[in-house]
Amino acid sequence: AQSVAQPEDQVNVAEGNPLTVKCTYSVSGNPYLFWYVQYPNRGLQFLLKYITGDNLVKGSYGFEAEFNKSQTSFHLKKPSALVSDSALYFCAVRDSGYSSASKIIFGSGTRLSIRP
Amino acid sequence: SAVISQKPSRDICQRGTSLTIQCQVDSQVTMMFWYRQQPGQSLTLIATANQGSEATYESGFVIDKFPISRPNLTFSTLTVSNMSPEDSSIYLCSVVTGGSSEAFFGQGTRLTVV
């Protein structure tokens, strides 16, 4: 069975500093990995994904994530945080590739707080 | 991508009653997924809905409590039956389209059971 872990409930960063939100995963096959963001009283927004290829993937709002197969990690990063980045971030994984029948499992979420 | 509309956006219901949540997608999709999310918490998958067949439920969720309909490739409903305060949550509809690998989500239905 697939699973995903986000070890930090909250990450606090000063505006302008780099940020990292951690994620590790477990799947039996090849992982398809995703990051989503949720702003207060809003639905989930897709940020970026890793399917194959370059281990560093770039997404919306200046975010990027690095896939590390040996460490089974997919940490979310941004070189310079903005106050507007403050939100709830979810890492997610699929185990069966492009089959739309495969379900997506979400991590517990990390609340990112950027102080001015 | 896909645009997903959920109705109602929120509701306050009496315990013991049932609420049906509708999910409409702007394109045909094979699978729809229903999730539950406590505010500020993670998403828990309730079931996967395939057009033309019975929904597949995750551990801890049963059809009698959460019946799902999937009459066509663009529409699904989730009913929360015989509600109790513990059912208060946000219910989210999600789809994966044939041309993408990521899921797209509706805005959710915020349910409060009193």
Side-chain angles (χ1 to χ4, degrees):
Chain A
Q2 65 223 58
S3 65
V4 58
Q6 293 180 245
E8 303 156 317
D9 291 335
Q10 177 137 358
V11 170
N12 300 307
V13 177
E15 187 174 29
N17 283 1
L19 69 86
T20 299
V21 183
K22 296 179 180 178
C23 171
T24 59
Y25 66 90
S26 174
V27 298
S28 57
N30 293 320
Y32 283 23
L33 295 157
F34 311 91
W35 277 101
Y36 287 83
V37 59
Q38 187 175 41
Y39 297 98
N41 300 314
R42 301 281 296 276
L44 267 75
Q45 297 179 32
F46 169 75
L47 273 181
L48 52 79
K49 64 182 176 183
Y50 171 81
I51 303 301
T52 187
D54 195 345
N55 289 344
L56 184 65
V57 294
K58 296 185 182 296
S60 306
Y61 312 120
F63 283 94
E64 58 188 29
E66 186 168 12
F67 171 64
N68 188 315
K69 187 173 183 177
S70 63
Q71 297 185 6
T72 62
S73 67
F74 189 57
H75 301 331
L76 181 69
K77 301 180 180 182
K78 187 173 182 179
S80 179
L82 299 172
V83 172
S84 58
D85 293 329
S86 299
L88 187 57
Y89 290 80
F90 291 100
C91 183
V93 65
R94 285 176 71 185
D95 196 4
S96 299
Y98 279 111
S99 168
S100 60
S102 61
K103 55 192 178 186
I104 296 180
I105 300 301
F106 286 80
S108 55
T110 299
R111 187 166 300 281
L112 179 62
S113 177
I114 310 299
R115 60 183 183 274
Chain B
S1 66
V3 177
I4 302 169
S5 301
Q6 262 187 255
K7 292 181 181 179
S9 58
R10 59 177 60 228
D11 207 343
I12 301 174
C13 300
Q14 296 291 323
R15 69 177 65 201
T17 63
S18 298
L19 176 72
T20 295
I21 302 167
Q22 299 180 5
C23 178
Q24 179 75 52
V25 190
D26 68 343
S27 59
Q28 294 184 340
V29 294
T30 303
M31 290 292 189
M32 284 184 167
F33 305 88
W34 287 97
Y35 288 85
R36 184 168 72 181
Q37 182 188 25
Q38 296 289 338
Q41 303 298 316
S42 185
L43 283 74
T44 301
L45 182 62
I46 297 172
T48 302
N50 188 15
Q51 195 268 335
S53 65
E54 292 282 336
T56 301
Y57 289 82
E58 297 298 306
S59 177
F61 298 96
V62 295
I63 188 171
D64 290 346
K65 176 68 176 177
F66 297 101
I68 289 172
S69 78
R70 185 77 202 276
N72 57 53
L73 291 174
T74 63
F75 187 78
S76 177
T77 67
L78 170 76
T79 299
V80 186
S81 303
N82 188 24
M83 289 184 286
S84 66
E86 291 71 35
D87 294 320
S88 297
S89 190
I90 300 168
Y91 292 84
L92 293 153
C93 172
S94 171
V95 304
V96 176
T97 65
S100 69
S101 51
E102 65 269 27
F104 301 95
F105 285 84
Q107 290 299 302
T109 297
R110 184 179 291 267
L111 171 63
T112 302
V113 183
V114 297

